[in-house]
Amino acid sequence: MDSLWINAEIVLTDGADLITAQTELRELMEKTKSEPGCIEFQVLQNLEQPEHFTLWECWTGEDALEAHFNAPHTVAYLALGLTKVNSIERLGPIRDSASEIQS
């Protein structure tokens, strides 16, 4: 199976503190990078809209991504309610034909 790339846009929730969110996202990023199956995990902040962040993630597959969402540090971060997901893209390498994309 090909690597699974995720591009997720998240934004600060109403009333959440930006500094706290930045601190917690840095901690999430550092802990996630050491997870089995994590190839890449970056949290980037929008320069024009600092309350917007992009997560660039690469996993060895679906099982690794699922394990990430069950990891204690991920569960703890999500429980804080500092950010919400605006969009998620699941990405992979360019396929050889259009029929492979649909499957």
Side-chain angles (χ1 to χ4, degrees):
M1 173 183 206
D2 295 323
S3 299
L4 173 61
W5 286 86
I6 303 292
N7 181 48
E9 179 192 356
I10 61 173
V11 296
L12 205 63
T13 55
D14 291 338
D17 180 67
L18 179 59
I19 302 300
T20 301
Q22 291 169 320
T23 300
E24 294 295 333
L25 284 167
R26 281 188 200 101
E27 185 175 332
L28 175 68
M29 180 173 58
E30 291 309 311
K31 289 181 177 178
T32 299
K33 286 179 177 184
S34 65
E35 288 181 35
C38 179
I39 299 168
E40 182 69 48
F41 192 91
Q42 292 291 323
V43 179
L44 303 165
Q45 189 170 19
N46 187 304
L47 298 176
E48 284 84 32
Q49 297 175 295
E51 68 280 3
H52 289 242
F53 301 88
T54 298
L55 280 61
W56 283 344
E57 311 172 34
C58 186
W59 301 93
T60 55
E62 293 288 343
D63 291 346
L65 179 60
E66 185 176 329
H68 165 66
F69 281 106
N70 293 312
H73 54 272
T74 304
V75 171
Y77 173 79
L78 293 172
L80 296 172
L82 297 169
T83 55
K84 63 181 179 179
V85 176
N86 259 5
S87 65
I88 296 176
E89 291 181 295
R90 298 169 63 83
L91 306 163
I94 296 173
R95 305 293 174 121
D96 289 333
S97 68
S99 63
E100 288 184 22
I101 293 173
Q102 296 170 357
S103 57

